[in-house]
Each structure stands twice: as C-alpha cells, then as structure tokens.
Amino acid sequence: MPPLRERAEDIPLLVWTLLEEFSVRMGKKITQVPRTTMEALQRRRWRGNVRELRNVIEHGAIISEGDTLKVPLLEDVSPELAHPVTLADAEREHILRALERSGWHIKGPHGPRRPLGSSRPPSTAG
C-alpha cells in the first residue's frame, strides 16, 4: 500500500472514521472539521502512515471543545511548514530556491554560490 503522503484523497475518509472512533471512546460528538483543517491535513507530507494521522486526530479530539475539531499543530503553521522536515529536505529546498533565484545558472557571477553560503569555487580535484 502506498504511503499516506501519496494518498491525500484518502485523508478525509480516514479523518471521519477516526473521529467516529474517538467520539465513542471519549464521549464527545465532533461533527465538524473546518475546511482549512482538512486541507492542511491533505497538504501535509506525512512521514509516518495512518498511525501518525491517527495521533494528530486523537490529540485534536482530546483538546477540542464543542463539536468542531481543532488541530493546533496545523492551524498555527504556514502551509510550507505544515509538515515535519528532515535536514535533507530542508537542504534540497534551500538549494532549489537558490537555483530559482539565480535563473538556474550553475556557474559564474550569477550562479547560486553566494546564496548557498559558498564564497569559493568548487574544487576540481578528483
């Protein structure tokens, strides 16, 4: 089965299924999920699988008051930061942004060397 991050279309059904389970277990009746919350859940790059989504929804169900799901982990974060990032992901994004700013020039005075924090040309030793 593909990872959850590749199945964003499955997330709404999973969220409602998990909310049903938690409503019964916690004695709460959560019947609304704000559209922005559902969209943030679908945008998030889930490193784990359904278990990670389950933990986020369970936490939201615990802290929610009333009938609307509240997921502060997603609501207080911009879309770009709505997912955990590995160091490799952050480096890749930084390099891609530097290349985009340089017009995808790799060498020369307009290349991405300075924005990437490099003041000397790459070594040609092999």
Side-chain angles (χ1 to χ4, degrees):
M1 178 164 270
L4 187 57
R5 65 183 164 272
E6 295 175 11
R7 301 184 344 239
E9 68 280 356
D10 293 346
I11 290 176
L13 180 61
L14 288 167
V15 167
W16 287 113
T17 301
L18 292 168
L19 281 175
E20 262 184 53
E21 176 188 335
F22 297 136
S23 290
V24 169
R25 193 170 69 183
M26 295 176 194
K28 290 186 172 186
K29 188 71 173 163
I30 298 174
T31 59
Q32 297 182 49
V33 177
R35 184 172 18 147
T36 55
T37 299
M38 191 65 79
E39 288 170 353
L41 290 167
Q42 289 182 285
R43 265 195 321 268
R44 184 172 176 155
R45 288 191 222 164
W46 296 96
R47 292 185 332 161
N49 212 331
V50 176
R51 194 174 350 192
E52 184 182 2
L53 174 65
R54 178 186 185 84
N55 291 338
V56 168
I57 299 304
E58 183 175 27
H59 178 259
I62 290 168
I63 65 166
S64 294
E65 297 175 8
D67 65 348
T68 302
L69 180 68
K70 181 173 175 57
V71 184
L73 298 173
L74 300 175
E75 294 167 359
D76 299 335
V77 178
S78 69
E80 298 86 38
L81 300 175
H83 54 86
V85 180
T86 64
L87 180 57
D89 289 340
E91 287 175 338
R92 182 177 186 280
E93 289 299 317
H94 182 65
I95 291 167
L96 288 173
R97 281 193 302 271
L99 285 168
E100 286 172 0
R101 283 192 303 269
S102 74
W104 292 88
H105 291 120
I106 297 174
K107 295 182 179 181
H110 301 293
R113 200 170 31 155
R114 279 212 176 105
L116 291 175
S118 174
S119 59
R120 61 185 182 139
S123 173
T124 57

